[in-house]
Amino acid sequence: MKFGGTSVGNAKNMDKVLDIARSMVVQPVVLVSSAMTKVTDALIKIAEQAAANQGSELQVTLDGLRELHFNTIRELLGDDHAAGAAALEVLFAELSSLSRGLLLIREVSSRSRDALLSFGERLSTVILYQRAVQRGMKARLLDARTVIKTDEQFGSAHIIKDATYQAISRELGLAPGELVITQGFIGSTLKGVTSTLGRGGSDYSGTIFGAALQASEVQIWTDVDGIMTTDPRIVPEARVIRSISYTEAAELSFFGAKVIHPSTIQPAVELGIPVWVKNTMNPAAIGTEIIPETNGSGLLAIAGKKGISVVTVRSSRMLNAYGFLRSMFQVFEEHKVSVDLIATSEVSVSVTVDDPTHLKQVIHDIATFAEVEVEHDQAIVCLVGKQLWKDAAFVGRAFSALEGIPLRMVSLGSSDVNLSLVVSKHDMEQAIKKLHNSLFGR
Ligand code: ADP
Ligand code: ASP
Ligand code: MG
């Protein structure tokens, strides 16, 4: 069971989380928790304040974090909070000296940033654990860094599967009624250095634990009733989807549906483990089941993702030539820039990129053999479903719904589970509203 930031966002919700875990007692449970809501953002702020030499601002952020966690533990544990407060104190002493150190050198490497970000989950799980013990549950606190083993790509580390799965099954011989509480999002390299799995990565931790333990199911508990036809923050009328296939869920999250992290499905796929998305604030709602295959066809959901750059490469040499695309993509490969959507004509190729980190080098290298142009501030709107393209009426409705919104690119996923459109980021919400309205009705 993985619980997200809002699910552990305050004392009341933490108790709800433990109620839900307790309702499973007949089976052993691994409870994977995120940081309390907004805490990871505050830790990122500390990194920025350290780099900018803003000592007093940094102190204010740290104090805010202290207050949040100490207030929560006091509210939950009442007079019993001494042991928990002492455990928090140890973490805050470490967090404080790390922040001071970064402030002194005014530089935050991706490695120290991960050390800093790890505190969010480490703090929230201390509180959950102390409360579980107080409530008489057979709980154990596991430091996820001792079992989640990753490479050294700090900031978005990749799991080393064999080492991780072996460590989890070695460490966790679960007995019925036992509740293991551990952190999502964090891990460590083979040398023991703290790493993180990327923003939103606790969902991924959840399925890694599930797969390593060959769990009967993985539950992702969040703040909405399940995976919906689109982000309910953009379209309040969005509806819950009862069941969705692995591929469709992966596609949706990859193209921006924040409700699950894009890597979440991957560990579950190999063993066919069902993944449920459920609402901590409304546990009676059934939720969404993510399973290997579903029946039916047609549109399932709409996702949107900002921060997209479109790179267009033009060359008359492309005309009737072979090998041009290869040399172009080789440049992307050399700089480890991954490409999402592609559209080609005889004389030009457009691709989208969602991480502009090494884009400058890519442009520089391609410019030696072709004309190249970049547009930033774009967004992808992705329609996910089955055999969308085959239904001409559907495609017609989608395009007429978008009347008045300039389209920069259109791409049909070769698996035929998605139809993606690129629009300016300023038009994204509007495009999603119009599409949802026309294709799902109100
Ligand atoms: P957690 O902290 O539990 O991991 P997140 O904030 O990461 O929660 O994800 C849940 C949020 O995802 C919802 O509050 C909702 O606004 C957003 N969201 C985006 N797309 C969808 C979708 N298709 N279905 C449900 N929620 C979505
Ligand atoms: N706390 C991390 C984040 O906010 C991981 C997660 O919540 O999934 O990105
Ligand atoms: Mg999340």
Side-chain angles (χ1 to χ4, degrees):
M1 307 174 89
K2 176 265 169 175
F3 291 88
T6 16
S7 300
V8 295
N10 57 43
K12 268 199 196 73
N13 287 357
M14 282 200 186
D15 255 344
K16 280 190 196 145
V17 163
L18 293 175
D19 290 341
I20 293 169
R22 205 210 276 271
S23 70
M24 288 278 159
V25 276
V26 280
Q27 284 158 307
V29 168
V30 178
L31 191 167
V32 176
S33 176
S34 286
M36 294 177 76
T37 184
K38 308 260 166 65
V39 167
T40 309
D41 292 334
L43 292 164
I44 290 173
K45 201 156 147 200
I46 290 181
E48 290 164 359
Q49 289 165 333
N53 196 28
Q54 297 170 332
S56 46
E57 289 88 342
L58 185 150
Q59 193 56 49
V60 172
T61 317
L62 261 182
D63 291 344
L65 286 177
R66 278 189 75 93
E67 205 179 299
L68 172 71
H69 291 91
F70 281 98
N71 284 348
T72 308
I73 205 162
R74 249 179 259 126
E75 187 179 338
L76 270 173
L77 293 167
D79 291 342
D80 274 355
H81 76 271
L88 288 183
E89 204 57 79
V90 170
L91 287 174
F92 272 107
E94 200 186 316
L95 172 58
S96 194
S97 38
L98 176 60
S99 309
R100 293 276 136 210
L102 295 174
L103 187 64
L104 277 176
I105 55 172
R106 286 193 217 171
E107 196 241 37
V108 185
S109 65
S110 51
R111 179 174 160 150
S112 13
R113 195 170 182 268
D114 274 3
L116 195 61
L117 295 197
S118 73
F119 281 90
E121 273 69 10
R122 289 160 67 196
L123 288 163
S124 64
T125 46
V126 161
I127 305 180
L128 276 174
Y129 168 72
Q130 293 288 340
R131 177 61 170 162
V133 170
Q134 192 199 37
R135 288 180 53 171
M137 299 166 85
K138 212 164 97 194
R140 165 180 169 203
L141 182 59
L142 170 76
D143 187 332
R145 294 172 299 172
T146 61
V147 291
I148 301 287
K149 291 290 155 192
T150 75
D151 65 8
E152 303 198 344
Q153 198 177 312
F154 297 101
S156 54
H158 302 106
I159 295 290
I160 302 170
K161 192 178 148 192
D162 291 347
T164 300
Y165 283 26
Q166 276 161 23
I168 292 176
S169 34
R170 193 175 53 233
E171 208 36 59
L172 298 181
L174 293 170
E178 189 179 16
L179 174 69
V180 172
I181 297 176
T182 192
Q183 304 83 21
F185 181 55
I186 67 174
S188 74
T189 66
L190 291 176
K191 290 184 190 139
V193 182
T194 300
S195 53
T196 69
L197 306 179
R199 291 306 305 267
S202 292
D203 302 329
Y204 186 28
S205 307
T207 50
I208 291 167
F209 275 100
L213 293 166
Q214 306 194 3
S216 50
E217 66 183 47
V218 174
Q219 301 173 353
I220 310 271
W221 291 83
T222 181
D223 57 3
V224 283
D225 280 350
I227 299 183
M228 308 182 81
T229 47
T230 194
D231 187 343
R233 283 182 217 185
I234 300 178
V235 181
E237 298 83 16
R239 294 192 289 267
V240 178
I241 300 168
R242 232 342 239 105
S243 61
I244 182 170
S245 72
Y246 286 150
T247 327
E248 290 156 345
E251 203 89 359
L252 261 185
S253 56
F254 181 78
F255 285 107
K258 188 188 167 212
V259 62
I260 54 169
H261 181 274
S263 306
T264 312
I265 300 307
Q266 192 192 307
V269 169
E270 289 156 29
L271 297 168
I273 300 175
V275 179
W276 283 86
V277 178
K278 289 179 69 85
N279 191 352
T280 304
M281 320 312 152
N282 183 17
I286 298 172
T288 300
E289 188 183 21
I290 312 173
I291 46 180
E293 270 311 322
T294 52
N295 301 320
S297 62
L299 180 65
L300 208 62
I302 307 171
K305 176 158 94 168
K306 289 185 181 168
I308 303 295
S309 304
V310 176
V311 180
T312 302
V313 179
R314 287 192 187 85
S315 169
S316 50
R317 285 203 292 137
M318 275 170 78
L319 216 57
N320 289 321
Y322 49 84
F324 182 86
L325 288 178
R326 192 186 60 83
S327 34
M328 179 188 132
F329 283 118
Q330 199 165 8
V331 175
F332 283 92
E333 189 183 334
E334 273 161 19
H335 297 291
K336 296 194 172 144
V337 173
S338 83
V339 157
D340 298 330
L341 304 179
I342 304 174
T344 65
S345 78
E346 260 304 285
V347 290
S348 74
V349 188
S350 291
V351 302
T352 66
V353 167
D354 70 359
D355 175 7
T357 320
H358 301 291
L359 205 51
K360 273 215 172 89
Q361 289 107 297
V362 169
I363 307 300
H364 172 268
D365 290 5
I366 295 182
T368 61
F369 61 86
E371 211 181 294
V372 53
E373 186 195 326
V374 193
E375 294 155 273
H376 296 292
D377 292 336
Q378 305 293 304
I380 294 178
V381 172
C382 180
L383 305 177
V384 173
K386 281 203 196 85
Q387 306 193 331
L388 297 180
W389 210 236
K390 290 200 174 129
D391 179 355
F394 165 80
V395 178
R397 280 221 314 280
F399 283 110
S400 42
L402 289 167
E403 206 185 300
I405 296 181
L407 296 183
R408 179 61 195 75
M409 247 171 100
V410 175
S411 163
L412 174 70
S414 46
S415 57
D416 201 11
V417 292
N418 88 52
L419 166 62
S420 302
L421 312 160
V422 177
V423 299
S424 153
K425 74 166 183 192
H426 307 289
D427 291 333
M428 188 188 90
E429 272 91 5
Q430 197 55 25
I432 292 177
K433 278 185 191 141
K434 288 183 164 195
L435 285 168
H436 196 278
N437 202 359
S438 151
L439 303 171
F440 288 105
R442 278 181 186 278

